[in-house]
């Protein structure tokens, strides 16, 4: 048996102390230890993007970061982004445009979109597609997702104008 | 799938990391960004006894320019290169190539050291190091040594690194004023590994090409400098006949492989297409620039 390692981190603005086995990846830690099941697991080898979370402000694959590597870090999940209202308009646009069907990819998709919109105020459809190239959706065919992102861009720019 | 059990240590210096490597031998594996290693762990392709996490060795995360040399620490992430003004200005080939590497969430974690040490033959970055004539800086029990990129990549996932050595950084000569680059790859989807790709660096003068370095990737087991093809176009006025000659010479340079993505014949064909586009891009751009200046 491998001894668990003690870690301390911030998750959605809350202090967390825990003991984890080194092999536990961050997505499993969030889901199984903290009950934050909005972070999904599809492939567990970095291809699908369902496990996307924010680590120290940057989006990462939750399945490709070990929980022990997140010691001392700030983690934000879809629960945190939802509760703070940061992406409320984006979530509304996803609903309005039918940008989700089964919803499995949606948490990862929303977090990835929000990173793009924080970096660029007026991305083209092509840039949106490229930024989301690492997030699989098997229902929508992506078109509606790009529509929802564009609608959010327009609304945010309009609100700022 | 889930990784099998392993121990974990997080050294705070290169010396500590290399002595841990020496101590644990075959049972140890280095982890940097984890973007190639963790998939292999989760798929149980690898089951090390202990992971040595070099990710917190702060001295390995830098990008600097001095004395005609760009120096990059092993822990510089893909996104750091992407956002670096120094790289954009002094190594434009690398700035272009990095946009083809993986997806944003992976670029936020993956490091250049991990990418080069991993030596995936389909990766863009090893080929760029060959085209740019970069030098790998390695640290081991007996101190530091330097290895040219052309002697570093030995085969599929195989490099000149000994098991108890760390890649700590790399040195790339600042791209000379007036020199030009070309980068392109064929892949199924943005961010996917290439089916065939080319990174090239050259000096172009009066429509002729000098000191051309053509580094192909995803063709054969390691990145390859196409020296025969480059010799055919060197100091020649670039036209269809010269390009065709160089394309034929590619058969001597490359050993294309078959896999589920493409046959070896298709890869050789794509290599030829890339060469033609590269040559016309290198000279045309130059022509246009000259006309614009007149
Ligand atoms: C979905 C997906 C798509 C990808 N697409 C691409 C792509 O298009 N192009 C591309 O080039 N890459 C791609 N990658 C791989 C990515 O670039 C990795 O980040 C990179 O190859 C490894 O860097 P890392 O820091 O994550 O290394 P790690 O995964 O931590 O390590 C990789 C290997 O290198 C060793 N290692 C790491 N650092 C050092 C060091 N300093 N010294 C000695 N050994 C070391 C490790 O022991 C391990 O064997 C992709 C990855 C994923 C998951
Ligand atoms: S579950 Fe992490 S990328 Fe698929």
């Amino acid at each position: 048996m491998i001894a668990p390692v003690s870690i301390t981190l911030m998750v959605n603005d809350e202090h967390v102390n825990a003991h984890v086995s080194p092999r536990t990846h961050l997505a499993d830690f969030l889901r199984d230890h903290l009950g934050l099941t909005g972070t999904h697991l599809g492939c567990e080898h970095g291809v699908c993007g369902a496990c996307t979370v924010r680590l120290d402000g940057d989006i990462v694959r939750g399945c490709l970061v070990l929980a022990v590597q997140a010691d001392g870090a700030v983690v934000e999940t879809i629960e945190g982004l939802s509760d703070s209202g940061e992406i409320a308009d984006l979530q509304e646009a996803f609903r309005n445009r039918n940008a989700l069907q089964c919803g499995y990819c949606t948490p990862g998709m929303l977090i990835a979109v929000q990173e793009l919109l924080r970096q660029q105020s007026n991305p083209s459809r092509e840039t949106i597609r490229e930024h989301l190239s690492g997030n699989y959706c098997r229902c929508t065919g992506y078109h509606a997702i790009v529509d929802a992102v564009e609608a959010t861009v327009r609304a945010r720019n309009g609100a700022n104008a | 799938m889930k990784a099998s059990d392993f121990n974990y240590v997080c050294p705070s210096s290169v010396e500590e990391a290399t002595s841990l490597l020496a101590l644990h031998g075959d049972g140890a594996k280095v982890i940097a960004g984890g973007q190639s290693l963790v998939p292999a762990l989760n798929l149980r392709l690898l089951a090390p006894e202990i992971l040595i996490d070099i990710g917190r060795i702060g001295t390995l995360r830098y990008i600097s320019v001095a004395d005609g040399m760009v120096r990059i620490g092993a822990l510089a992430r893909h996104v750091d290169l992407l956002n670096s003004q120094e790289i954009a200005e002094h190594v434009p080939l690398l700035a272009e190539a990095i946009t083809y590497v993986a997806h944003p969430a992976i670029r936020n974690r993956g490091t250049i050291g991990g990418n080069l040490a991993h030596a995936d033959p389909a990766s863009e970055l090893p080929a760029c190091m060959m085209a740019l004539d970069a030098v790998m800086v390695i640290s081991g029990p007996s101190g530091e040594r330097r290895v040219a990129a052309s002697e570093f990549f030995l085969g599929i996932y195989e490099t000149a690194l000994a098991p108890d050595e760390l890649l700590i950084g790399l040195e790339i000569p600042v791209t000379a004023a007036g020199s030009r680059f070309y980068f392109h790859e064929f892949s199924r989807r943005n961010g996917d590994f290439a089916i065939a790709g080319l990174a090239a660096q050259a000096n172009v003068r009066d429509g002729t090409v000098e000191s051309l370095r053509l580094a192909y990737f995803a063709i054969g087991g390691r990145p390859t400098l196409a020296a025969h093809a480059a010799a055919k176009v060197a100091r020649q006025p670039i036209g269809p006949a010269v390009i065709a000659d160089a394309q034929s010479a590619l058969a001597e340079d490359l050993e294309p492989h078959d896999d589920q993505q493409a046959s070896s014949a298709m890869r050789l064909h794509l290599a030829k297409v890339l060469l033609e586009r590269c040559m016309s891009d290198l000279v045309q751009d130059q022509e246009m620039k000259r006309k614009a200046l007149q």
Side-chain angles (χ1 to χ4, degrees):
Chain A
M1 250 314 268
I2 305 263
V5 176
S6 156
I7 59 171
T8 305
L9 62 166
M10 291 289 285
V11 179
N12 298 333
D13 282 335
E14 282 181 37
H15 252 288
V16 175
N17 284 306
H19 284 85
V20 289
S21 163
R23 72 184 185 126
T24 305
H25 58 62
L26 182 59
D28 269 348
F29 174 71
L30 294 167
R31 292 175 56 82
D32 299 345
H33 290 237
L34 305 183
L36 296 170
T37 53
T39 301
H40 292 166
L41 284 167
C43 67
E44 292 197 277
H45 60 271
V47 179
C48 74
C51 61
T52 306
V53 295
R54 261 192 212 153
L55 180 71
D56 289 332
D58 294 330
I59 61 166
V60 300
R61 302 285 207 229
C63 73
L64 297 189
V65 178
L66 301 173
V68 286
Q69 290 181 296
D71 184 28
V74 174
V75 175
E76 294 160 276
T77 69
I78 189 64
E79 288 87 352
L81 267 69
S82 298
D83 290 349
S84 72
E86 179 182 338
I87 54 168
D89 56 343
L90 183 61
Q91 289 167 315
E92 188 58 32
F94 265 57
R95 271 193 296 275
N96 290 340
R97 301 276 166 161
N98 284 324
L100 64 154
Q101 286 175 36
C102 84
Y104 202 81
C105 70
T106 313
M109 204 57 95
L110 290 167
I111 297 178
V113 171
Q114 178 65 1
E115 178 175 80
L116 174 67
L117 300 190
R118 290 208 296 185
Q119 290 168 355
Q120 295 190 32
S121 60
N122 201 9
S124 64
R125 288 185 76 88
E126 201 186 324
T127 304
I128 295 166
R129 279 185 179 272
E130 193 171 323
H131 191 84
L132 296 179
S133 66
N135 290 71
Y136 276 167
C137 172
R138 300 284 84 148
C139 303
T140 64
Y142 303 99
H143 199 90
I145 293 175
V146 180
D147 286 348
V149 178
E150 269 199 319
T152 308
V153 166
R154 272 197 301 273
R156 287 190 188 178
N157 288 342
N160 290 339
Chain B
M1 260 168 74
K2 311 292 178 192
S4 55
D5 245 349
F6 48 76
N7 277 296
Y8 175 83
V9 275
C10 193
S12 52
S13 71
V14 170
E15 295 70 35
E16 203 186 324
T18 47
S19 29
L20 282 165
L21 273 174
L23 179 69
H24 293 284
D26 276 355
K29 206 75 189 130
V30 167
I31 180 166
Q35 302 304 290
S36 293
L37 186 66
V38 179
L41 295 175
N42 288 353
L43 292 166
R44 300 210 177 186
L45 300 172
L46 290 174
E49 285 156 27
I50 183 163
L51 285 196
I52 300 174
D53 184 356
I54 61 169
R56 293 180 198 255
I57 305 178
T59 52
L60 296 183
R61 178 162 290 157
Y62 59 86
I63 299 172
S64 71
V65 189
D67 315 320
M69 202 63 87
V70 178
R71 293 182 175 80
I72 305 176
L75 287 185
R77 298 172 303 160
H78 301 332
V79 68
D80 299 328
L81 300 177
L82 194 65
N83 293 336
S84 161
Q85 199 50 48
E86 284 95 344
I87 300 294
E89 203 172 309
H90 299 291
V91 204
L93 168 63
L94 187 55
E96 170 83 11
I98 202 80
T99 66
Y100 289 81
V101 176
H103 313 283
I106 289 158
R107 294 199 291 256
N108 284 338
R109 287 291 290 171
T111 68
I112 185 142
N115 184 290
L116 299 176
H118 188 58
D120 190 314
S123 173
E124 295 79 2
L125 302 180
C128 289
M129 296 304 124
M130 307 258 293
L132 293 163
D133 206 7
V135 170
M136 307 293 134
V137 187
I138 296 168
S139 181
S142 47
E144 248 178 63
R145 66 187 182 107
R146 283 171 161 69
V147 176
S150 54
E151 284 160 22
F152 183 79
F153 302 103
L154 303 181
I156 304 174
Y157 309 134
E158 206 190 325
T159 68
L161 284 172
D164 56 0
E165 286 182 320
L166 274 189
L167 178 62
I168 56 171
L170 44 131
E171 298 174 345
I172 308 176
V174 164
T175 300
S179 93
R180 304 202 53 80
F181 74 87
Y182 176 82
F183 186 93
H184 192 66
E185 71 179 39
F186 296 108
S187 65
R188 300 262 172 223
R189 193 174 60 133
N190 281 342
D192 280 359
F193 280 105
I195 299 168
L198 172 61
Q201 188 74 46
N203 290 323
V204 182
R205 200 174 297 158
D206 301 329
T208 72
V209 173
E210 294 166 12
S211 65
L212 172 64
R213 291 171 76 87
L214 296 166
Y216 280 95
F217 56 98
I219 301 180
R222 55 175 170 164
T224 311
L225 281 180
H228 290 96
K232 295 284 183 196
V233 292
R235 286 175 283 279
Q236 302 285 327
I238 301 302
V242 170
I243 291 177
D245 220 19
Q247 284 174 320
S248 317
L250 282 176
E252 290 174 68
D253 289 315
L254 302 175
E255 290 172 27
H257 61 289
D258 281 304
D259 63 15
Q260 71 276 25
Q261 299 231 60
S263 65
S264 58
M266 176 171 161
R267 283 204 161 82
L268 186 59
H269 171 74
L270 294 176
K272 291 177 177 177
V273 172
L274 285 165
L275 183 60
E276 181 177 10
R277 292 189 189 175
C278 170
M279 295 320 299
S280 54
D281 191 84
L282 286 177
V283 288
Q284 246 174 33
D285 243 355
Q286 194 71 7
E287 286 287 295
M288 277 179 349
K289 263 198 158 167
R290 248 210 326 264
K291 282 193 184 122
L293 283 174
Q294 277 164 4

